[in-house]
Amino acid sequence: MSIDLSLDRLQKLVTHLSPYTRPTLHIAGTNGKGSVSALLASILLHSDPPLRVGRFNSPHLVTVHDCITVNNHPVAPNLYEVVREEVEDADTEHETKLSSFEILTLVALQVFEREKVDIVVLEVGMGGRLDATNIVPDNTIAVSALTAVDLDHQFFLGDTVTKIAAEKAAIGRKGRPFVLGKQRREGVEEVVRTVLKAAGALNLALALEPEVSEWDESIHGAKPPPISLAYTNATKSSFSRPPSQPVSVVMPYFSAPVNALLPLYGSHQLDNLGTALSVINELLNSPPPPTLSIDLTSRITPQTIARGIRAVRWPGRLSFHTLHVSIPATSRKAPEDGTPSLPAAMRQTKHPLVVLADGAHNAASAETLSEYINHMLSLALESASSAIASQTVKKSITLDITYVLALSHSPPKTPLQTLSPVLPPKLPESLASSPIPITVNTSVALLQFTPPEGMPWVKSVPPSELEEVVRKLVPNADIYVPPASIPLASYVVSSPPFSLSSQPTLPPSAKPMALEDVLKWVALRQDRLTSSTDTLGLGLVVLAGSLYLVADFYRLLELDEVEKATRKMSISWDSR
């Protein structure tokens, strides 16, 4: 499917819509722009008094509504439908033939106008110069920023990092400040300076560099326990997530440093935080655009910034989740106290899984994921070794790490390039010198994600193709591919078994059947860890390769919560 990346059609259509007048922070980049956007929105939302903040991210995660938010709440479906109909009608009337992303972008801008937000955090979709978000007028741009640039979407943006950087830096506007995030690739800063000079940008600010600080209970509160991936028994995990990172940042605008807890995991998030805080610094320190009439200098302080950092949430980026998966309990003994029980073949048990969900989808983000897994496993094994040393029952450690992977077909990027940084897992160096025997089991499940709504060009790499790559990278791994008889998704209606008008009804949702099957397979594997009384079992599931797969996972979690609520409502009404 061809994609017309020019802005001509958009420029024609926006003249027939309400003018866009919201002050805007415009964020581009290959990796990190979503995290920077989330940080900015949270910081602005926690100003005092709080600002009304609009944010546009793409692609959406679970539903199309979650990519357009006001004060971190997804756009109301009825408002979205009304505005979308207006944009689509105008598109039809004026024969502009916009793409689905272009329509979505205009819907977001029109929603922010109607909601009269004070400021917008606008994430670029792809590239920058010809991206639909670059249609916003010059007089609305407060600050532009570029996060880490790397190879991705080369077919559209160019085959080198510098060509891609030039495309992305072209969101810079005349007379407005521009922030450049920390770069791993050489040549990016030089080409960005050239592009900004031609555009007449006000200045180029390099991202601030936050430092990890010591945990201070007087500032951060009681320190949480260290990370644990251990099982206490067959049906219970003693999982505790990693604590937030205490950070300190010197911002030139303030005389005092900003001390905060950063709940986003990974050393790369320090770079993203530095970029976000540089944007805030430029926002406070630069002449405001004509559309910004609010005095921000009294609303944004080191204290409000710290509250915003601590409150940030960005699902699907090194996000930890726990869920309990039903599996057959045929290996478990029947109750010995005479309590009636189901036949062995019908008994079920709930096995706990710890899932690290991350949308890593290119070589650079996969390398970041790999580095974090190595760091996190080092901490978890250290915690487990301490636990074994303090008792006499468990004598060894077994770590079961399972990768659940799906990739988008996006040449010239190859599955080998994306998967090589994470497979085989880079295990901590301390593993070899541990006095406690440690066994590591690696398994990989491969599947396709549910096709995203409105994006017919997005397709999964066939699992058979992924399997060839994985067998080269991890020859001894246990590999699972769901049977072809299991559909990717089935549409189910989760609603109470009654039809009273006063009761809520829940809309149809797509249940990711293939992913559900994979997680059951993982749970059955890990269940074996608890069968040994002298081994401490650690379990981790890494779900990665595509944000569309992460979206399937969140749909599964959401449906699980809906089904629990439905059962409760059903029981409540049946008892009346």
Side-chain angles (χ1 to χ4, degrees), residues 102-113:
E102 290 168 333
I103 287 176
L104 180 63
T105 301
L106 292 184
V107 170
L109 300 180
Q110 291 294 301
V111 165
F112 298 146
E113 277 295 319

Side-chain angles (χ1 to χ4, degrees), residues 403-407 419 423 444-448 461-471 479-482 514 518 521:
Y403 293 84
V404 177
L405 304 171
L407 271 63
L419 296 180
L423 293 175
V444 183
L446 306 168
L447 69 162
Q448 300 182 67
V461 175
S464 57
E465 184 177 335
L466 295 179
E467 186 174 359
E468 291 181 14
V469 174
V470 171
R471 291 201 181 280
I479 299 177
Y480 179 73
V481 177
V518 161
W521 174 78

Side-chain angles (χ1 to χ4, degrees), residues 29-33 147-154 157 164 168 184-185 268 358-370 405-408 410 412-422 544-547:
T30 305
N31 297 309
K33 61 182 185 289
T147 64
V149 178
D150 217 300
L151 291 173
D152 207 358
H153 304 297
Q154 294 99 302
L157 304 178
I164 294 172
K168 293 179 181 292
R184 293 188 177 186
R185 297 283 199 153
H268 66 293
D358 189 77
H361 62 283
N362 55 38
S365 56
E367 182 63 41
T368 297
L369 172 61
S370 177
L405 304 171
L407 271 63
S408 296
S410 183
K413 179 175 61 179
T414 67
L416 180 63
Q417 291 170 333
T418 302
L419 296 180
S420 294
V422 292
S546 170
L547 271 176

Side-chain angles (χ1 to χ4, degrees), residues 7-302:
L7 297 180
D8 296 343
R9 294 166 296 107
L10 272 168
Q11 289 169 337
K12 176 183 177 182
L13 189 61
V14 293
T15 61
H16 302 284
L17 300 172
S18 298
Y20 178 72
T21 63
R22 302 295 105 186
T24 300
L25 306 177
H26 201 189
I27 316 298
T30 305
N31 297 309
K33 61 182 185 289
S35 297
V36 169
S37 298
L39 282 160
L40 287 170
S42 187
I43 290 169
L44 294 168
L45 186 57
H46 284 80
S47 58
D48 186 15
L51 294 164
R52 189 166 173 79
V53 183
R55 176 160 58 108
F56 178 55
N57 294 99
S58 62
H60 64 265
L61 195 53
V62 178
T63 73
V64 70
H65 307 113
D66 64 45
C67 69
I68 304 172
T69 65
V70 175
N71 289 352
N72 279 346
H73 295 292
V75 60
N78 57 341
L79 175 59
Y80 173 84
E81 293 301 332
V82 167
V83 175
R84 185 168 186 112
E85 183 177 356
E86 291 178 1
V87 173
E88 288 179 337
D89 287 348
D91 179 46
T92 300
E93 179 182 352
H94 300 285
E95 299 181 340
T96 42
K97 299 180 180 179
L98 299 186
S99 69
S100 60
F101 179 72
E102 290 168 333
I103 287 176
L104 180 63
T105 301
L106 292 184
V107 170
L109 300 180
Q110 291 294 301
V111 165
F112 298 146
E113 277 295 319
R114 294 199 181 197
E115 290 291 301
K116 293 182 170 55
V117 299
D118 297 316
I119 193 164
V120 169
V121 181
L122 188 65
E123 181 191 325
V124 169
M126 179 178 67
R129 179 174 65 94
L130 298 177
D131 186 74
T133 62
N134 210 28
I135 198 70
V136 297
D138 288 354
N139 65 357
T140 65
I141 297 296
V143 185
S144 304
L146 178 59
T147 64
V149 178
D150 217 300
L151 291 173
D152 207 358
H153 304 297
Q154 294 99 302
F155 182 79
F156 300 105
L157 304 178
D159 56 3
T160 67
V161 169
T162 52
K163 288 180 181 178
I164 294 172
E167 287 290 319
K168 293 179 181 292
I171 66 169
R173 302 300 179 91
K174 182 177 181 180
R176 302 311 308 157
F178 192 100
V179 171
L180 180 62
K182 186 175 181 180
Q183 303 294 322
R184 293 188 177 186
R185 297 283 199 153
E186 293 183 2
V188 171
E189 182 179 339
E190 182 180 354
V191 74
V192 168
R193 288 188 182 278
T194 300
V195 172
L196 295 181
K197 183 178 180 180
L202 177 65
N203 65 292
L204 173 64
L206 299 182
L208 299 170
E209 297 187 7
E211 295 182 353
V212 176
S213 56
E214 294 296 323
W215 192 285
D216 186 339
E217 293 195 353
S218 66
I219 299 175
H220 308 122
K223 188 174 182 178
I227 181 174
S228 171
L229 299 175
Y231 295 100
T232 53
N233 57 48
T235 59
K236 187 177 180 181
S237 168
S238 61
F239 169 69
S240 59
R241 67 184 62 248
S244 298
Q245 301 181 81
V247 295
S248 181
V249 192
V250 175
M251 296 180 64
Y253 186 80
F254 300 113
S255 58
V258 174
N259 296 302
L261 283 178
L262 178 62
L264 303 181
Y265 299 124
S267 60
H268 66 293
Q269 293 295 3
L270 293 174
D271 299 336
N272 292 330
L273 177 61
T275 302
L277 293 183
S278 295
V279 170
I280 295 296
N281 195 78
E282 293 302 313
L283 180 64
L284 296 174
N285 209 34
S286 304
T291 54
L292 181 58
S293 58
I294 298 174
D295 179 15
L296 299 178
T297 58
S298 61
R299 294 186 182 217
I300 301 176
T301 67

Side-chain angles (χ1 to χ4, degrees), residues 490-496 505-509 559 562:
S490 67
Y491 285 85
V492 296
V493 177
S494 298
S495 56
T505 56
L506 302 170
S509 301
L559 285 168
V562 167

Side-chain angles (χ1 to χ4, degrees), residues 272-344:
N272 292 330
L273 177 61
T275 302
L277 293 183
S278 295
V279 170
I280 295 296
N281 195 78
E282 293 302 313
L283 180 64
L284 296 174
N285 209 34
S286 304
T291 54
L292 181 58
S293 58
I294 298 174
D295 179 15
L296 299 178
T297 58
S298 61
R299 294 186 182 217
I300 301 176
T301 67
Q303 292 74 30
T304 67
I305 290 172
R307 288 198 294 269
I309 294 171
R310 187 167 189 160
V312 70
R313 299 292 181 268
W314 190 222
R317 284 75 174 179
L318 293 181
S319 301
F320 282 96
H321 302 273
T322 56
L323 71 159
H324 288 74
V325 179
S326 294
I327 58 174
T330 52
S331 61
R332 307 293 174 195
K333 293 181 179 179
E336 297 179 356
D337 59 1
T339 303
S341 65
L342 293 170

